[in-house]
Amino acid sequence: MKTKTVHGHSIAGREQALDFMAEYPGYGEQRWYSDALANEQLSFSWRRMPPDTGGRGSYGHRHPGQEEVYFVIAGTVTFKVGDDVFEAGPQTAVRLTGEQFYSVHNDTGAEAELLIFSTRLADPQLEKLDGFWP
């Protein structure tokens, strides 16, 4: 299916959405639909996380000035936000303000699936913090 914008709506299929994880075999998928839909205000991604994938053992990051919401569709994922570590399971939403460094990891033996929504900024900033999650 090709992205189609008509009066009042646009449609994009999975293959039109950029896969941020394409260069990382074994880490699942993170399909970013925002450009495919020609979104102006909202950024939207779908993420599939196989067991033992995500940000554990790597850097934490944040997007200053950009609010994000992670909605867990299936499975359970572990968040580290600042010094707080917690799990989020199905039908749980986690709001991130962009003030704290964070990372998300699937510590379970089952696949996890998430939706990620954020404000869309013209020039988003990404800050990384090495050694964030030992």
Side-chain angles (χ1 to χ4, degrees):
M1 175 191 332
K2 192 170 187 184
T3 301
K4 182 178 181 181
T5 302
V6 294
H7 302 293
H9 71 281
S10 57
I11 300 169
R14 180 177 163 273
E15 294 306 317
Q16 283 74 52
L18 173 66
D19 183 6
F20 285 140
M21 304 309 286
E23 296 181 27
Y24 305 98
Y27 282 85
E29 292 178 80
Q30 184 169 345
R31 297 284 178 162
W32 185 55
Y33 284 81
S34 301
D35 275 354
L37 289 169
N39 290 4
E40 295 176 6
Q41 299 175 17
L42 176 72
S43 184
F44 163 64
S45 296
W46 165 81
R47 183 156 186 199
R48 180 181 59 81
M49 297 178 72
D52 200 31
T53 62
R56 184 179 295 281
S58 66
Y59 64 86
H61 72 281
R62 67 181 179 171
H63 304 276
Q66 186 173 28
E67 183 177 54
E68 294 179 272
V69 173
Y70 281 67
F71 182 80
V72 181
I73 298 169
T76 299
V77 293
T78 303
F79 282 83
K80 182 173 188 219
V81 181
D83 292 330
D84 295 334
V85 177
F86 57 92
E87 290 185 344
Q91 299 180 19
T92 302
V94 176
R95 176 180 167 259
L96 303 168
T97 64
E99 295 173 22
Q100 294 288 325
F101 285 92
Y102 73 92
S103 188
V104 182
H105 193 268
N106 181 356
D107 292 325
T108 73
E111 190 169 275
E113 190 174 351
L114 304 102
L115 293 176
I116 306 163
F117 302 92
S118 65
T119 50
R120 183 147 187 193
L121 303 177
D123 188 21
Q125 293 185 352
L126 172 67
E127 293 181 5
K128 296 180 182 181
L129 179 64
D130 288 327
F132 177 68
W133 199 328

PDB file of all heavy atoms in Angstrom, residues 61-68 81-82 95-102 127 129 132:
ATOM      1  N   HIS A  61      18.831   7.925  27.358  1.00  0.00           N
ATOM      2  CA  HIS A  61      18.695   9.109  26.510  1.00  0.00           C
ATOM      3  C   HIS A  61      17.477   9.909  26.950  1.00  0.00           C
ATOM      4  O   HIS A  61      16.679   9.458  27.757  1.00  0.00           O
ATOM      5  CB  HIS A  61      18.595   8.722  25.030  1.00  0.00           C
ATOM      6  CG  HIS A  61      17.297   8.100  24.646  1.00  0.00           C
ATOM      7  ND1 HIS A  61      16.994   6.788  24.908  1.00  0.00           N
ATOM      8  CD2 HIS A  61      16.214   8.624  24.016  1.00  0.00           C
ATOM      9  CE1 HIS A  61      15.785   6.514  24.454  1.00  0.00           C
ATOM     10  NE2 HIS A  61      15.276   7.614  23.916  1.00  0.00           N
ATOM     11  N   ARG A  62      17.373  11.104  26.428  1.00  0.00           N
ATOM     12  CA  ARG A  62      16.212  11.947  26.674  1.00  0.00           C
ATOM     13  C   ARG A  62      16.046  12.896  25.499  1.00  0.00           C
ATOM     14  O   ARG A  62      16.971  13.103  24.713  1.00  0.00           O
ATOM     15  CB  ARG A  62      16.342  12.721  27.973  1.00  0.00           C
ATOM     16  CG  ARG A  62      17.435  13.762  27.969  1.00  0.00           C
ATOM     17  CD  ARG A  62      17.512  14.468  29.297  1.00  0.00           C
ATOM     18  NE  ARG A  62      18.583  15.460  29.281  1.00  0.00           N
ATOM     19  CZ  ARG A  62      18.775  16.322  30.226  1.00  0.00           C
ATOM     20  NH1 ARG A  62      17.971  16.338  31.284  1.00  0.00           N
ATOM     21  NH2 ARG A  62      19.756  17.190  30.161  1.00  0.00           N
ATOM     22  N   HIS A  63      14.854  13.434  25.402  1.00  0.00           N
ATOM     23  CA  HIS A  63      14.522  14.406  24.368  1.00  0.00           C
ATOM     24  C   HIS A  63      14.012  15.659  25.079  1.00  0.00           C
ATOM     25  O   HIS A  63      12.819  15.777  25.340  1.00  0.00           O
ATOM     26  CB  HIS A  63      13.431  13.855  23.438  1.00  0.00           C
ATOM     27  CG  HIS A  63      13.778  12.538  22.810  1.00  0.00           C
ATOM     28  ND1 HIS A  63      14.538  12.462  21.671  1.00  0.00           N
ATOM     29  CD2 HIS A  63      13.488  11.271  23.170  1.00  0.00           C
ATOM     30  CE1 HIS A  63      14.682  11.182  21.347  1.00  0.00           C
ATOM     31  NE2 HIS A  63      14.061  10.438  22.240  1.00  0.00           N
ATOM     32  N   PRO A  64      14.894  16.585  25.454  1.00  0.00           N
ATOM     33  CA  PRO A  64      14.471  17.780  26.188  1.00  0.00           C
ATOM     34  C   PRO A  64      13.368  18.536  25.446  1.00  0.00           C
ATOM     35  O   PRO A  64      13.438  18.729  24.227  1.00  0.00           O
ATOM     36  CB  PRO A  64      15.740  18.620  26.271  1.00  0.00           C
ATOM     37  CG  PRO A  64      16.861  17.641  26.127  1.00  0.00           C
ATOM     38  CD  PRO A  64      16.339  16.592  25.184  1.00  0.00           C
ATOM     39  N   GLY A  65      12.340  18.915  26.191  1.00  0.00           N
ATOM     40  CA  GLY A  65      11.241  19.680  25.624  1.00  0.00           C
ATOM     41  C   GLY A  65      10.254  18.852  24.822  1.00  0.00           C
ATOM     42  O   GLY A  65       9.347  19.398  24.199  1.00  0.00           O
ATOM     43  N   GLN A  66      10.414  17.524  24.846  1.00  0.00           N
ATOM     44  CA  GLN A  66       9.533  16.669  24.053  1.00  0.00           C
ATOM     45  C   GLN A  66       8.869  15.634  24.966  1.00  0.00           C
ATOM     46  O   GLN A  66       9.518  14.745  25.498  1.00  0.00           O
ATOM     47  CB  GLN A  66      10.320  15.958  22.955  1.00  0.00           C
ATOM     48  CG  GLN A  66       9.460  15.179  22.002  1.00  0.00           C
ATOM     49  CD  GLN A  66      10.272  14.637  20.835  1.00  0.00           C
ATOM     50  OE1 GLN A  66      11.461  14.397  20.954  1.00  0.00           O
ATOM     51  NE2 GLN A  66       9.618  14.445  19.710  1.00  0.00           N
ATOM     52  N   GLU A  67       7.578  15.764  25.137  1.00  0.00           N
ATOM     53  CA  GLU A  67       6.805  14.813  25.929  1.00  0.00           C
ATOM     54  C   GLU A  67       6.588  13.534  25.116  1.00  0.00           C
ATOM     55  O   GLU A  67       6.308  13.597  23.925  1.00  0.00           O
ATOM     56  CB  GLU A  67       5.459  15.442  26.285  1.00  0.00           C
ATOM     57  CG  GLU A  67       4.591  14.598  27.163  1.00  0.00           C
ATOM     58  CD  GLU A  67       3.311  15.328  27.527  1.00  0.00           C
ATOM     59  OE1 GLU A  67       2.604  15.774  26.605  1.00  0.00           O
ATOM     60  OE2 GLU A  67       3.031  15.439  28.721  1.00  0.00           O
ATOM     61  N   GLU A  68       6.735  12.367  25.781  1.00  0.00           N
ATOM     62  CA  GLU A  68       6.511  11.082  25.132  1.00  0.00           C
ATOM     63  C   GLU A  68       5.591  10.228  25.993  1.00  0.00           C
ATOM     64  O   GLU A  68       5.628  10.312  27.219  1.00  0.00           O
ATOM     65  CB  GLU A  68       7.822  10.308  24.973  1.00  0.00           C
ATOM     66  CG  GLU A  68       8.819  10.932  24.033  1.00  0.00           C
ATOM     67  CD  GLU A  68      10.084  10.102  23.966  1.00  0.00           C
ATOM     68  OE1 GLU A  68      10.971  10.335  24.807  1.00  0.00           O
ATOM     69  OE2 GLU A  68      10.168   9.223  23.088  1.00  0.00           O
ATOM     70  N   VAL A  81      13.969   5.408  34.538  1.00  0.00           N
ATOM     71  CA  VAL A  81      13.771   6.839  34.326  1.00  0.00           C
ATOM     72  C   VAL A  81      14.479   7.549  35.471  1.00  0.00           C
ATOM     73  O   VAL A  81      14.059   7.442  36.624  1.00  0.00           O
ATOM     74  CB  VAL A  81      12.271   7.216  34.289  1.00  0.00           C
ATOM     75  CG1 VAL A  81      12.110   8.705  34.029  1.00  0.00           C
ATOM     76  CG2 VAL A  81      11.523   6.392  33.242  1.00  0.00           C
ATOM     77  N   GLY A  82      15.571   8.229  35.162  1.00  0.00           N
ATOM     78  CA  GLY A  82      16.396   8.786  36.238  1.00  0.00           C
ATOM     79  C   GLY A  82      16.911   7.629  37.071  1.00  0.00           C
ATOM     80  O   GLY A  82      17.492   6.684  36.546  1.00  0.00           O
ATOM     81  N   ARG A  95       4.249   8.115  30.849  1.00  0.00           N
ATOM     82  CA  ARG A  95       4.540   9.439  30.293  1.00  0.00           C
ATOM     83  C   ARG A  95       5.940   9.856  30.693  1.00  0.00           C
ATOM     84  O   ARG A  95       6.319   9.787  31.864  1.00  0.00           O
ATOM     85  CB  ARG A  95       3.535  10.462  30.818  1.00  0.00           C
ATOM     86  CG  ARG A  95       3.826  11.883  30.371  1.00  0.00           C
ATOM     87  CD  ARG A  95       2.778  12.842  30.942  1.00  0.00           C
ATOM     88  NE  ARG A  95       3.210  14.212  30.790  1.00  0.00           N
ATOM     89  CZ  ARG A  95       3.738  14.957  31.746  1.00  0.00           C
ATOM     90  NH1 ARG A  95       3.913  14.474  32.963  1.00  0.00           N
ATOM     91  NH2 ARG A  95       4.099  16.209  31.516  1.00  0.00           N
ATOM     92  N   LEU A  96       6.727  10.319  29.726  1.00  0.00           N
ATOM     93  CA  LEU A  96       8.079  10.827  29.965  1.00  0.00           C
ATOM     94  C   LEU A  96       8.091  12.296  29.584  1.00  0.00           C
ATOM     95  O   LEU A  96       7.614  12.671  28.517  1.00  0.00           O
ATOM     96  CB  LEU A  96       9.089  10.041  29.122  1.00  0.00           C
ATOM     97  CG  LEU A  96       9.080   8.535  29.375  1.00  0.00           C
ATOM     98  CD1 LEU A  96       9.886   7.806  28.319  1.00  0.00           C
ATOM     99  CD2 LEU A  96       9.616   8.234  30.759  1.00  0.00           C
ATOM    100  N   THR A  97       8.645  13.116  30.462  1.00  0.00           N
ATOM    101  CA  THR A  97       8.583  14.563  30.261  1.00  0.00           C
ATOM    102  C   THR A  97       9.733  15.118  29.435  1.00  0.00           C
ATOM    103  O   THR A  97       9.683  16.268  29.005  1.00  0.00           O
ATOM    104  CB  THR A  97       8.590  15.291  31.617  1.00  0.00           C
ATOM    105  OG1 THR A  97       9.846  15.026  32.267  1.00  0.00           O
ATOM    106  CG2 THR A  97       7.433  14.842  32.500  1.00  0.00           C
ATOM    107  N   GLY A  98      10.796  14.321  29.249  1.00  0.00           N
ATOM    108  CA  GLY A  98      11.975  14.803  28.540  1.00  0.00           C
ATOM    109  C   GLY A  98      13.021  15.376  29.477  1.00  0.00           C
ATOM    110  O   GLY A  98      14.120  15.718  29.044  1.00  0.00           O
ATOM    111  N   GLU A  99      12.685  15.466  30.774  1.00  0.00           N
ATOM    112  CA  GLU A  99      13.627  16.029  31.750  1.00  0.00           C
ATOM    113  C   GLU A  99      14.648  15.009  32.234  1.00  0.00           C
ATOM    114  O   GLU A  99      15.791  15.351  32.495  1.00  0.00           O
ATOM    115  CB  GLU A  99      12.862  16.581  32.951  1.00  0.00           C
ATOM    116  CG  GLU A  99      11.971  17.750  32.614  1.00  0.00           C
ATOM    117  CD  GLU A  99      11.100  18.170  33.789  1.00  0.00           C
ATOM    118  OE1 GLU A  99      11.450  17.864  34.947  1.00  0.00           O
ATOM    119  OE2 GLU A  99      10.064  18.796  33.544  1.00  0.00           O
ATOM    120  N   GLN A 100      14.240  13.736  32.379  1.00  0.00           N
ATOM    121  CA  GLN A 100      15.108  12.689  32.912  1.00  0.00           C
ATOM    122  C   GLN A 100      15.615  11.790  31.783  1.00  0.00           C
ATOM    123  O   GLN A 100      14.916  11.563  30.797  1.00  0.00           O
ATOM    124  CB  GLN A 100      14.334  11.812  33.910  1.00  0.00           C
ATOM    125  CG  GLN A 100      13.901  12.527  35.162  1.00  0.00           C
ATOM    126  CD  GLN A 100      15.069  12.806  36.074  1.00  0.00           C
ATOM    127  OE1 GLN A 100      16.007  12.021  36.171  1.00  0.00           O
ATOM    128  NE2 GLN A 100      15.024  13.947  36.743  1.00  0.00           N
ATOM    129  N   PHE A 101      16.824  11.273  31.953  1.00  0.00           N
ATOM    130  CA  PHE A 101      17.317  10.245  31.037  1.00  0.00           C
ATOM    131  C   PHE A 101      16.523   8.974  31.295  1.00  0.00           C
ATOM    132  O   PHE A 101      16.149   8.680  32.434  1.00  0.00           O
ATOM    133  CB  PHE A 101      18.816   9.994  31.269  1.00  0.00           C
ATOM    134  CG  PHE A 101      19.680  11.081  30.719  1.00  0.00           C
ATOM    135  CD1 PHE A 101      20.056  12.158  31.517  1.00  0.00           C
ATOM    136  CD2 PHE A 101      20.102  11.039  29.402  1.00  0.00           C
ATOM    137  CE1 PHE A 101      20.847  13.169  31.003  1.00  0.00           C
ATOM    138  CE2 PHE A 101      20.905  12.055  28.881  1.00  0.00           C
ATOM    139  CZ  PHE A 101      21.273  13.116  29.688  1.00  0.00           C
ATOM    140  N   TYR A 102      16.268   8.200  30.223  1.00  0.00           N
ATOM    141  CA  TYR A 102      15.502   6.974  30.394  1.00  0.00           C
ATOM    142  C   TYR A 102      15.960   5.915  29.402  1.00  0.00           C
ATOM    143  O   TYR A 102      16.652   6.190  28.423  1.00  0.00           O
ATOM    144  CB  TYR A 102      14.002   7.236  30.228  1.00  0.00           C
ATOM    145  CG  TYR A 102      13.584   7.482  28.794  1.00  0.00           C
ATOM    146  CD1 TYR A 102      13.169   6.430  27.995  1.00  0.00           C
ATOM    147  CD2 TYR A 102      13.633   8.753  28.248  1.00  0.00           C
ATOM    148  CE1 TYR A 102      12.805   6.656  26.676  1.00  0.00           C
ATOM    149  CE2 TYR A 102      13.272   8.978  26.942  1.00  0.00           C
ATOM    150  CZ  TYR A 102      12.857   7.928  26.152  1.00  0.00           C
ATOM    151  OH  TYR A 102      12.515   8.142  24.849  1.00  0.00           O
ATOM    152  N   GLU A 127      19.744  13.604  23.665  1.00  0.00           N
ATOM    153  CA  GLU A 127      20.925  13.599  24.523  1.00  0.00           C
ATOM    154  C   GLU A 127      21.128  12.187  25.038  1.00  0.00           C
ATOM    155  O   GLU A 127      20.189  11.532  25.481  1.00  0.00           O
ATOM    156  CB  GLU A 127      20.731  14.557  25.708  1.00  0.00           C
ATOM    157  CG  GLU A 127      20.656  15.998  25.317  1.00  0.00           C
ATOM    158  CD  GLU A 127      20.484  16.924  26.511  1.00  0.00           C
ATOM    159  OE1 GLU A 127      20.520  16.457  27.666  1.00  0.00           O
ATOM    160  OE2 GLU A 127      20.321  18.121  26.281  1.00  0.00           O
ATOM    161  N   LEU A 129      23.425   9.419  27.517  1.00  0.00           N
ATOM    162  CA  LEU A 129      24.210   9.326  28.749  1.00  0.00           C
ATOM    163  C   LEU A 129      24.786   7.919  28.819  1.00  0.00           C
ATOM    164  O   LEU A 129      24.068   6.959  29.077  1.00  0.00           O
ATOM    165  CB  LEU A 129      23.337   9.609  29.972  1.00  0.00           C
ATOM    166  CG  LEU A 129      23.999   9.535  31.332  1.00  0.00           C
ATOM    167  CD1 LEU A 129      25.078  10.627  31.456  1.00  0.00           C
ATOM    168  CD2 LEU A 129      22.982   9.693  32.433  1.00  0.00           C
ATOM    169  N   PHE A 132      24.435   4.565  31.683  1.00  0.00           N
ATOM    170  CA  PHE A 132      23.215   4.883  32.417  1.00  0.00           C
ATOM    171  C   PHE A 132      22.639   3.669  33.131  1.00  0.00           C
ATOM    172  O   PHE A 132      22.150   3.750  34.223  1.00  0.00           O
ATOM    173  CB  PHE A 132      22.179   5.451  31.439  1.00  0.00           C
ATOM    174  CG  PHE A 132      20.840   5.759  32.030  1.00  0.00           C
ATOM    175  CD1 PHE A 132      20.686   6.787  32.939  1.00  0.00           C
ATOM    176  CD2 PHE A 132      19.726   5.023  31.668  1.00  0.00           C
ATOM    177  CE1 PHE A 132      19.454   7.089  33.477  1.00  0.00           C
ATOM    178  CE2 PHE A 132      18.495   5.307  32.195  1.00  0.00           C
ATOM    179  CZ  PHE A 132      18.359   6.343  33.101  1.00  0.00           C
TER     180      PHE A 132
END
